[in-house]
Amino acid sequence: MTSRTLIFIAASAFCFNAFAQIDSRSASTCPPDWQMSDRQLQGEWTASMAGGEETARMVLGPHPDWEGNVKGRISRPGSSHPMVGDVNEGTVTLEESADGSRITGTWLGEVVDGSCGTEIHGNYQEGENAPPRAFIMRKARP
């Protein structure tokens, strides 16, 4: 082997190692004992359905009557509904109501590993008989 080949191999190995270290640091930014709670669920979120162009906006705060729960609103183009929810053993449950009394939509999701509660993936079900649709929620603001 020529010295140029050896230098190229060494430089390539160095660059590959540096990129691997950067990737591993960015993927593990959450503390090891981090767990999702209702506090991380509070704030402004955007949500989109798989295969759809519609985006919903959720604004959630602490529930005034039920400690450990959130309450807020979900807004879509042309509508806005009340919403409540909680986090139980890492599973996020949000329920919306178009009429203010019965559940008309349920969001069940899990926090994406490494996102520290800023991204949630799951399924949305409108009513009781509609098929579930995959969703992605991303935190817009705390």
Side-chain angles (χ1 to χ4, degrees):
M1 271 193 230
T2 67
S3 60
R4 282 188 192 168
T5 305
L6 289 175
I7 291 172
F8 176 76
I9 292 171
S12 297
F14 175 77
C15 289
F16 179 77
N17 188 30
F19 286 124
Q21 287 177 357
I22 290 169
D23 281 352
S24 68
R25 273 188 258 130
S26 63
S28 61
T29 57
C30 303
D33 60 346
W34 184 90
Q35 289 189 355
M36 182 74 169
S37 74
D38 62 294
R39 287 192 177 112
Q40 284 85 23
L41 199 49
Q42 295 174 27
E44 185 177 327
W45 295 81
T46 58
S48 58
M49 301 292 172
E53 294 180 20
E54 182 180 296
T55 299
R57 180 177 168 260
M58 301 171 188
V59 178
L60 303 169
H63 196 293
D65 300 322
W66 301 328
E67 188 175 332
N69 288 266
V70 295
K71 183 176 183 179
R73 296 199 71 77
I74 180 167
S75 300
R76 295 181 182 91
S79 69
S80 179
H81 306 293
M83 175 176 258
V84 296
D86 67 4
V87 179
N88 186 5
E89 296 181 17
T91 299
V92 174
T93 303
L94 297 167
E95 298 171 332
E96 61 179 280
S97 175
D99 64 9
S101 62
R102 64 183 179 87
I103 298 168
T104 55
T106 304
W107 303 72
L108 296 173
E110 303 288 328
V111 176
V112 173
D113 287 340
S115 74
C116 303
T118 61
E119 188 168 329
I120 299 169
H121 291 192
N123 286 303
Y124 168 76
Q125 186 167 11
E126 187 173 7
E128 294 179 19
N129 299 321
R133 295 172 26 199
F135 73 81
I136 297 173
M137 284 175 55
R138 290 191 175 96
K139 192 136 192 193
R141 282 191 278 179

